[in-house]
């Protein structure tokens, strides 16, 4: 099967998906899209469908966004007028054997795909792609910090919970800007790397001791680590920024009840949609190439 025989549906997302659509057209695929901002001039070679179901009808491959699926099953599509929840009826129109390439799937989507003989290809945690889009995420995070504080990052006490690929980039950036960085992580190797970079490193059990006096808290792990008991130890001026996918690392309901400023900074890769869209496409294209080889 060649690229010109492939029908790709791109559903949900933001301006990054515009660039992904352009790349898919350039590769020779037939492209239908729905759920992300459609540019006034359109996208040459791509068709904007009237619904997600229409976009998916007859598609060999569907591309869903990297940012995680919401608790109700909705895809990340912040500028769409409706919530896009890929249920069994919506997916049933795909050509078999179908393939969905996305950041990560929730249990409901996995169940639908298993019943319909649709293969899932998740790439949220591919380290190379995380590194490629990492600079845009860090730049977007800095914008959030600057816009939501009355202090400089320089000399601020910052506690970063999590030290994966993105977390480590955040640590190095904040240290370079002169922040006093405290890293709390479960993995001892990650804690050692943070220490070597110049941060103070802690186990998660140390958070109750670290958080008092903290100006900025940044979470990058998709697991509820910071609950009410820990949030109560923070000063009232503290800014909470959650970079993690649902359910997030911070109890935002408790944060709001405690009067703390909370920002769930999802989709920060949209800060540089062309750069990040092309980097995401590099990973998507590899997966499609593998799918096509298997069909030959």
């Amino acid at each position: 099967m060649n690229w010109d025989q492939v029908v790709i549906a791109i559903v949900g997302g933001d301006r990054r998906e515009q660039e992904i659509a352009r790349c898919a057209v350039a590769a020779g695929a037939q492209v239908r899209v729905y759920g992300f901002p459609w540019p006034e001039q359109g996208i040459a070679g791509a068709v904007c469908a009237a619904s997600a179901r229409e976009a998916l009808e007859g598609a060999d491959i569907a591309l869903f966004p990297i940012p995680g699926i919401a608790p109700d099953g909705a895809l990340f599509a912040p500028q769409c007028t409706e919530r896009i929840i890929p249920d069994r009826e919506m997916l049933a129109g795909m050509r078999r054997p179908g393939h969905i390439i996305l950041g990560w799937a929730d249990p409901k989507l996995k169940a639908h795909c298993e019943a319909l003989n649709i293969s899932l290809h998740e790439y949220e945690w591919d380290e190379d792609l995380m590194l490629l889009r990492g600079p845009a995420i860090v730049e977007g995070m800095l914008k959030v910090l600057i816009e939501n504080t009355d202090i400089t990052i320089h000399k601020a006490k910052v506690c970063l919970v999590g030290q994966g690929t993105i977390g480590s980039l955040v640590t190095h950036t904040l240290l370079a800007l002169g922040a006093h960085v405290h890293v709390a992580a479960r993995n001892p190797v990650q804690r050692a790397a943070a220490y070597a970079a110049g941060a103070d490193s802690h186990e998660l059990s140390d958070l109750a001791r670290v958080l008092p006096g903290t100006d900025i808290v940044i979470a990058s792990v998709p697991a509820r680590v910071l609950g009410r008991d820990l949030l109560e130890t923070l000063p009232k001026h503290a800014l909470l920024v959650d970079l993690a996918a649902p359910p997030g690392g911070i109890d935002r309901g408790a944060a709001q009840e405690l009067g703390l400023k909370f920002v769930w900074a999802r989709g920060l890769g949209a800060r540089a949609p062309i750069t990040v869209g092309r980097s995401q496409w590099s990973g998507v294209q590899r997966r499609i190439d593998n799918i096509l080889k298997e069909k030959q």
Side-chain angles (χ1 to χ4, degrees):
M1 192 173 187
N2 298 319
W3 274 89
D4 59 4
Q5 298 172 300
V6 177
V7 178
I8 296 177
I10 304 175
V11 179
D14 51 32
R15 290 175 59 208
R16 286 171 287 184
E17 273 64 28
Q18 294 179 4
E19 191 63 22
I20 290 171
R22 294 185 187 101
C23 291
V25 169
Q30 302 172 54
V31 180
R32 296 200 295 264
V33 310
Y34 178 79
F36 62 79
W38 185 249
E40 289 185 10
Q41 70 275 21
I43 298 174
V47 175
C48 185
S51 66
R53 184 174 180 176
E54 181 181 304
L56 290 164
E57 186 71 31
D60 301 287
I61 297 167
L63 307 183
F64 292 169
I66 276 190
I69 292 174
D72 66 352
L75 300 179
F76 178 77
Q79 292 178 263
C80 187
T81 56
E82 64 174 349
R83 295 185 71 74
I84 304 172
I85 301 176
D87 57 20
R88 197 164 303 188
E89 182 180 2
M90 184 186 295
L91 298 172
M94 291 185 67
R95 193 179 298 170
R96 303 294 189 278
H99 298 267
I100 297 175
I101 301 173
L102 77 170
W104 59 269
D106 68 355
K108 289 182 181 179
L109 180 57
K110 290 179 179 178
H112 295 327
C113 289
E114 184 175 357
L116 294 169
N117 189 29
I118 295 173
S119 299
L120 285 166
H121 308 261
E122 300 172 292
Y123 67 108
E124 163 67 21
W125 294 280
D126 284 11
E127 190 170 3
D128 59 336
L129 290 180
M130 292 181 78
L131 286 169
L132 286 169
R133 70 181 191 270
I137 292 173
V138 173
E139 288 180 19
M141 180 208 68
L142 292 176
K143 180 174 182 288
V144 170
L145 300 188
I146 292 167
E147 290 180 342
N148 288 279
T149 55
D150 294 323
I151 60 173
T152 60
I153 295 172
H154 181 258
K155 299 300 183 182
K157 180 181 178 182
V158 182
C159 180
L160 178 60
V161 181
Q163 195 65 185
T165 306
I166 299 300
S168 63
L169 290 176
V170 170
T171 295
H172 283 82
T173 301
L174 293 176
L175 287 169
L177 291 173
H180 298 302
V181 181
H182 295 257
V183 170
R186 184 172 287 110
N187 187 312
V189 175
Q190 293 176 345
R191 292 198 302 270
Y195 170 81
D200 291 322
S201 61
H202 311 272
E203 296 183 10
L204 294 178
S205 59
D206 292 336
L207 279 170
R209 179 174 57 83
V210 174
L211 290 177
T214 296
D215 301 303
I216 299 169
V217 179
I218 302 168
S220 62
V221 290
R224 190 59 55 82
V225 176
L226 293 164
R228 176 182 289 274
D229 56 338
L230 290 172
L231 298 179
E232 287 176 341
T233 68
L234 287 165
K236 290 300 182 182
H237 74 270
L239 170 66
L240 305 174
V241 179
D242 205 334
L243 302 178
I250 301 171
D251 185 338
R252 58 175 172 172
Q256 290 166 353
E257 290 173 7
L258 292 168
L260 298 169
K261 184 177 286 188
F262 173 90
V263 179
W264 196 351
R266 299 185 64 200
L268 289 180
R271 189 224 90 44
I274 292 177
T275 301
V276 178
R278 289 174 182 172
S279 71
Q280 286 181 213
W281 174 251
S282 70
V284 169
Q285 185 174 26
R286 289 200 303 270
R287 284 158 178 77
I288 295 177
D289 282 334
N290 290 334
I291 290 169
L292 298 184
K293 288 176 183 177
E294 291 174 1
K295 290 187 175 184
Q296 290 178 349

